[in-house]
Amino acid sequence: MDNSIAQIREQFPALKQKIRERNLVYLDSAATSLKPQVVIDRISKFYSLETANVHRGAHFLADAATGEFEKARETVRQFINADSIEEVIFTRGTTDGINLVAASYGSFLNEGDEIVITELEHHSNTVAWQLLAERKKCVLKYIEVLPSGEIDLNSVNQQITAKTKIVAFSGCSNILGTLTPIETIVKKAKQVGAVTLLDAAQYVTQKKVDVKALGVDFLVFSSHKLFGPFGFGVLYGRKDLLNAMPVYQSGGSMISTVDYQHTTFNHLPFKFEAGTPHIEGAIGTATAIDFFNQYKIENIFEHEQKLMNLALTELKQIEDIKIFGTAQNKAAIISFVMKGVHHSDIGQILDQQGIAVRVGHHCTQPLLKKFDLTGTVRASISIYNNEDDIHQFVEAVKKAKRMLL
Ligand SMILES: Cc1ncc(COP(=O)(O)O)c(C=O)c1O
């Protein structure tokens, strides 16, 4: 991998620019990944030459756009190893996919049923279930997180019970990096007959996603964290569940027949895709997947782990820095605070040096409250980062300390 990093960096135009007269050090990939030239070019080509709406045209461009759009669905199907393209629903992103399942599958829940999530979820995998629990008078329960950021396995057994109907959890924490014990949680959920939803927003760039091997019932992710466009995502759902579920949003494409009083609905996957879809989003996502698939995911993971360990070794030598998220099994996401300093001030000093990190609550307010924090500085590492990035980042943190303390 080492030799190819320079070649990978070449493919990301954002890395060729100066930010505040310095080379950009981009350590915010957990928020969104940079986009490779192939993805930018593919979307640009669609807008320049191929623009047409899908599924309803009777002309060359409309047919071609439909072909590319549905080819993208097949690319996604292969990427996640779903049985059928009917199980691949195009959405606006992770958040949209979770809302779809909460609204549609959630309609099957009754008063007293239990929904289980974990303490480390992103707000998008917390609030949708809170709202469902309120609507249906269900009980929302949390699998606990240990001080290391690992999932408490005893809590998995305690919280998932015969009353549990849905277990929705993240495969990788966006703030602590924790890779969660997916197999253990899925196994326990199956024992009690609950369905599982895996939030793979961060996980999808860390480990091979194989919905059959993982055994999950639903899985969601966003394209923009996978080198693809914004506003586009995927919901995988087991076909029998999706077929049984009521429609979510209504509009064009999701119907079969409409009369003045009554509507019948389209088959999967269109039943859940109301209105004109994000066509270039789908096509750009397929290109992003092809880009990502050029590399072995294990090698990418190893590369990122090496950089994370280098950063952690150096950060640990700086007095007054406290790192959150020390799980054995974690993605290259580093969250830290500096004693006596507000995280925003550190972010600002790093930014002045062309270093992009994220500061704040990272959409995980309940977890931060548990750890008695209001925010952290988060540096997240991706395929295009190199050792130089890490050295510059650590030097900038040292400088921030000199300036602020
Ligand atoms: C773990 C996790 N879940 C859900 C989301 C929400 O993703 P989106 O805003 O793309 O819908 C994010 C985004 O940061 C995330 O990291």
Side-chain angles (χ1 to χ4, degrees):
M1 197 82 197
D2 280 355
N3 296 336
S4 50
I5 296 304
Q7 185 258 332
I8 289 171
R9 289 175 70 84
E10 267 302 299
Q11 299 178 63
F12 287 85
L15 293 174
K16 294 176 187 159
Q17 68 191 311
K18 299 274 183 205
I19 299 286
R20 309 198 191 286
E21 294 164 14
R22 290 163 183 262
N23 291 331
L24 170 65
V25 174
Y26 189 76
L27 293 170
D28 197 19
S29 297
T32 198
S33 62
L34 299 176
K35 317 301 170 201
Q37 192 65 52
V38 276
V39 170
I40 299 163
D41 288 348
R42 185 66 195 89
I43 293 170
S44 171
K45 184 173 170 224
F46 177 79
Y47 276 117
S48 306
L49 302 173
E50 302 172 4
T51 292
N53 210 334
V54 291
H55 294 145
R56 58 191 83 159
H59 60 87
F60 179 87
L61 287 179
D63 282 349
T66 304
E68 287 298 305
F69 183 73
E70 289 305 323
K71 203 169 91 189
R73 202 185 302 275
E74 172 58 19
T75 301
V76 173
R77 186 201 67 73
Q78 286 179 22
F79 180 60
I80 61 174
N81 197 29
D83 269 333
S84 148
I85 54 163
E86 293 170 292
E87 298 180 319
V88 178
I89 313 291
F90 288 159
T91 66
R92 288 193 298 118
T94 306
T95 303
D96 194 31
I98 294 168
N99 276 282
L100 191 163
V101 176
S104 177
Y105 189 85
S107 68
F108 298 146
L109 269 61
N110 295 308
E111 186 171 343
D113 285 344
E114 293 179 356
I115 302 161
V116 176
I117 64 175
T118 83
E119 288 182 332
L120 58 64
E121 301 308 314
H122 187 280
H123 292 162
S124 80
N125 199 34
T126 302
V127 183
W129 305 112
Q130 280 177 359
L131 293 175
L132 174 64
E134 269 173 33
R135 209 163 55 239
K136 290 287 207 162
K137 297 192 171 55
C138 297
V139 182
L140 180 60
K141 293 169 74 180
Y142 289 84
I143 295 171
E144 283 177 34
V145 170
L146 299 167
S148 62
E150 280 159 327
I151 295 287
D152 180 346
L153 296 179
N154 291 327
S155 184
V156 173
N157 282 323
Q158 281 157 10
Q159 300 302 322
I160 301 176
T161 70
K163 287 188 181 169
T164 307
K165 294 292 180 271
I166 300 176
V167 182
F169 66 104
S170 175
C172 173
S173 158
N174 67 306
I175 175 168
L176 304 174
T178 311
L179 289 160
T180 60
I182 299 175
E183 205 179 315
T184 309
I185 296 175
V186 170
K187 191 170 160 203
K188 180 69 189 171
K190 278 192 200 303
Q191 273 171 14
V192 301
V195 300
T196 48
L197 178 144
L198 184 69
D199 172 354
Q202 300 292 339
Y203 186 78
V204 73
T205 49
Q206 302 300 322
K207 299 280 175 185
K208 168 81 190 129
V209 169
D210 179 331
V211 291
K212 281 189 280 194
L214 292 168
V216 291
D217 299 302
F218 299 104
L219 180 139
V220 287
F221 66 90
S222 302
S223 180
H224 72 93
K225 294 183 200 284
L226 180 63
F227 312 105
F230 288 101
F232 187 83
V234 171
L235 161 67
Y236 157 80
R238 243 176 55 200
K239 189 172 159 187
D240 58 326
L241 295 176
L242 292 174
N243 267 326
M245 284 158 56
V247 296
Y248 174 47
Q249 292 177 327
S250 62
S253 299
M254 53 78 76
I255 57 93
S256 176
T257 62
V258 181
D259 66 30
Y260 283 126
Q261 296 298 335
H262 186 68
T263 297
T264 60
F265 301 111
N266 209 340
H267 56 79
L268 290 173
F270 310 113
K271 169 182 163 183
F272 288 111
E273 294 179 0
T276 299
H278 187 353
I279 304 166
E280 75 281 18
I283 295 171
T285 296
T287 307
I289 289 173
D290 289 343
F291 164 81
F292 191 58
N293 277 343
Q294 288 177 85
Y295 308 100
K296 269 190 140 164
I297 195 160
E298 300 81 7
N299 293 348
I300 300 171
F301 187 75
E302 196 188 310
H303 163 70
E304 294 172 3
Q305 292 281 303
K306 226 167 83 184
L307 295 184
M308 172 179 70
N309 290 332
L310 176 65
L312 286 175
T313 306
E314 299 209 14
L315 285 178
K316 280 177 190 160
Q317 286 166 18
I318 308 174
E319 219 181 305
D320 298 321
I321 294 261
K322 185 163 170 27
I323 290 157
F324 288 91
T326 53
Q328 282 291 316
N329 199 8
K330 67 171 259 160
I333 294 174
I334 300 170
S335 257
F336 67 93
V337 291
M338 195 183 284
K339 217 161 112 193
V341 173
H342 196 273
H343 44 266
S344 299
D345 295 338
I346 302 174
Q348 221 168 30
I349 292 173
L350 297 193
D351 177 48
Q352 281 160 11
Q353 294 163 83
I355 296 166
V357 294
R358 195 170 178 95
V359 296
H361 57 64
H362 314 294
C363 295
T364 56
Q365 285 180 12
L367 183 72
L368 283 173
K369 201 165 166 194
K370 177 183 166 97
F371 286 152
D372 214 11
L373 291 170
T374 54
T376 69
V377 181
R378 181 186 72 184
S380 47
I381 295 165
S382 184
I383 186 170
Y384 34 67
N385 290 118
N386 59 18
E387 286 190 11
D388 218 33
D389 289 341
I390 302 301
H391 292 311
Q392 287 187 56
F393 161 65
V394 173
E395 283 313 308
V397 174
K398 286 181 183 163
K399 184 171 173 182
K401 185 181 166 182
R402 285 196 299 274
M403 289 171 74
L404 295 166
L405 282 179

